[in-house]
Amino acid sequence: MMNRRIFGLITACAVFAGYTTASAQDLKEIIIAAPAGAGVSYYPLFSAMGEGYFADEGLAIRVEGVSGSAAVLQVLAAGQAQMGNAGPGAVLAARENGVDALYLYNYFAKSQFSIMVKEDADVSVPLDLKGKRIGVGTVDGAEVSFVRSVLTDAGMTEGDDYEFIVVGDGGMAAVGFDRGEIDAYASATRDAAILGLRGIPLKDITPEKFMAYFGNGFITTRDFMENNPEVMVGFGRALVRGAEFGADPANLPKVLEHAKIGNPQEGEDPAFATSLFHTIQGRITPTDLSNGWGYHHPEQWKLWEDALIASGGLKNRLDDLDKAYTNDFVEKWNEARN
């Protein structure tokens, strides 16, 4: 069974009636399965919706929230969505199991995950977590693969040297810290901000080299990509426009307003939303934009494969690792900014 949660305020009616410049019957509906509760974290997507960029491409975007990257892959495999947002570990594992899913747009160009501990904890490097309990949002979330890879690199084995405890996202992790149920947390960017607001100051002990382990991206199936190249071009082009829109400081108020499409609760605290925006902006903006938004670095995919093999996330190396992603559309996506 698949654990699915639909965004409360993201409905087809809202997308079609409030955020398009063409009538609904003229637009091709695309369902995107994404992490439930996304808002500021995906501001280029919602800015592109709010500014009508997808409608300019003939697309009407409908977002459905699911719990974890594995659920995103299940939704795609079942044909219940055309696209999704998932982590590389989940995509490679799915491909190993015969699902021909692939990364289309490299969204979080830098790692979106960190290993966080309390600021006053006697922990400074991952090895200090030996014998400790690490909180995670979901058992199969992309953060689990990431943290497992970091700890494997430190010479530790899950079950023998540490254990994962499912405590939920953000504020729920605060309870885990308060009760002493966890010693560290596999944190996504928004989680650290939430925990700070809950009065739990944290410090990041993630080694710098792991920032090259890019995070969640927009994915699809090969079948849908090959049969709908115009959708692939239009989707990425609108997303790039949304990212460029957010890069202009003058547009920040509009960006935060558009982000409410996905998570209106974030907008109730402007200070938090603004802080989260700047954190997210730093993670989705490539270090080198010469290749354009959405570009995949083959060497970084090799890093992920190596890490997943070492940690047990993959049983064997993939014969077709280069089929797990595509750069075929990147040039067209970025034409307007070149």
Side-chain angles (χ1 to χ4, degrees):
M1 294 294 292
M2 185 165 48
N3 181 11
R4 302 184 64 196
R5 294 176 291 171
I6 307 302
F7 288 168
L9 295 182
I10 302 182
T11 64
C13 179
V15 174
F16 291 151
Y19 296 98
T20 65
T21 58
S23 61
Q25 60 265 30
D26 295 330
L27 303 176
K28 182 178 180 66
E29 181 186 27
I30 300 297
I31 299 175
I32 300 176
V40 174
S41 297
Y42 291 89
Y43 72 83
L45 174 70
F46 295 116
S47 291
M49 290 169 66
E51 291 295 309
Y53 299 154
F54 286 118
D56 291 345
E57 301 291 344
L59 303 176
I61 301 300
R62 175 180 165 190
V63 183
E64 294 191 359
V66 300
S67 181
S69 291
V72 171
L73 269 300
Q74 287 178 320
V75 169
L76 260 65
Q80 295 173 327
Q82 292 77 46
M83 301 182 68
N85 192 282
V91 170
L92 292 181
R95 292 189 60 78
E96 186 175 52
N97 289 311
V99 179
D100 198 2
L102 74 160
Y103 254 58
L104 179 70
Y105 185 109
N106 185 0
Y107 180 69
F108 275 100
K110 303 165 191 168
S111 173
Q112 68 186 108
F113 300 115
S114 303
I115 303 178
M116 309 295 289
V117 299
K118 282 188 173 182
E119 197 171 59
D120 58 357
D122 187 22
V123 175
S124 57
V125 295
L127 190 58
D128 293 335
L129 292 176
K130 191 168 185 177
K132 305 294 186 181
R133 293 165 296 184
I134 302 165
V136 296
T138 63
V139 68
D140 54 10
E143 75 276 13
V144 178
S145 297
F146 175 78
V147 174
R148 186 184 288 120
S149 297
V150 174
L151 298 182
T152 298
D153 184 71
M156 292 191 284
T157 302
E158 181 184 355
D160 295 331
D161 300 309
Y162 66 91
E163 64 176 314
F164 288 123
I165 303 293
V166 178
V167 296
D169 299 326
M172 291 181 282
V175 177
F177 274 120
D178 286 339
R179 293 178 177 175
E181 296 171 346
I182 58 174
D183 304 288
Y185 185 63
S187 174
T189 47
R190 60 175 286 106
D191 295 322
I194 292 172
L195 289 168
L197 288 176
R198 295 294 180 92
I200 302 179
L202 302 172
K203 61 181 177 182
D204 188 346
I205 63 167
T206 310
E208 181 64 29
K209 70 177 182 178
F210 281 88
M211 292 305 291
Y213 289 78
F214 57 92
N216 281 27
F218 288 96
I219 70 172
T220 189
T221 61
R222 187 169 308 280
D223 181 67
F224 186 76
M225 179 188 73
E226 291 180 347
N227 286 298
N228 298 275
E230 74 289 349
V231 173
M232 303 297 97
V233 172
F235 176 83
R237 190 156 49 201
L239 203 59
V240 167
R241 291 179 68 189
E244 294 273 301
F245 182 81
D248 185 345
N251 292 330
L252 180 57
K254 279 190 173 182
V255 169
L256 298 182
E257 188 64 28
H258 293 324
K260 293 178 183 178
I261 301 171
N263 191 334
Q265 288 75 25
E266 284 179 342
E268 295 174 1
D269 188 340
F272 170 72
T274 300
S275 176
L276 180 59
F277 165 81
H278 289 301
T279 299
I280 295 297
Q281 187 177 48
R283 296 297 179 103
I284 72 166
T285 304
T287 301
D288 179 6
L289 259 173
S290 63
N291 291 309
W293 296 91
Y295 179 80
H296 297 273
H297 294 271
E299 67 274 14
Q300 292 182 349
W301 275 97
K302 185 64 168 59
L303 281 177
W304 261 113
E305 184 186 47
D306 290 345
L308 290 166
I309 288 288
S311 66
L314 286 177
K315 295 178 183 178
N316 302 292
R317 295 192 180 279
L318 300 179
D319 294 332
D320 57 352
L321 180 62
D322 61 333
K323 297 293 194 303
Y325 60 92
T326 180
N327 282 319
D328 289 351
F329 305 99
V330 173
E331 184 176 354
K332 288 186 178 294
W333 294 341
N334 289 272
E335 283 177 345
R337 60 176 302 273
N338 294 332

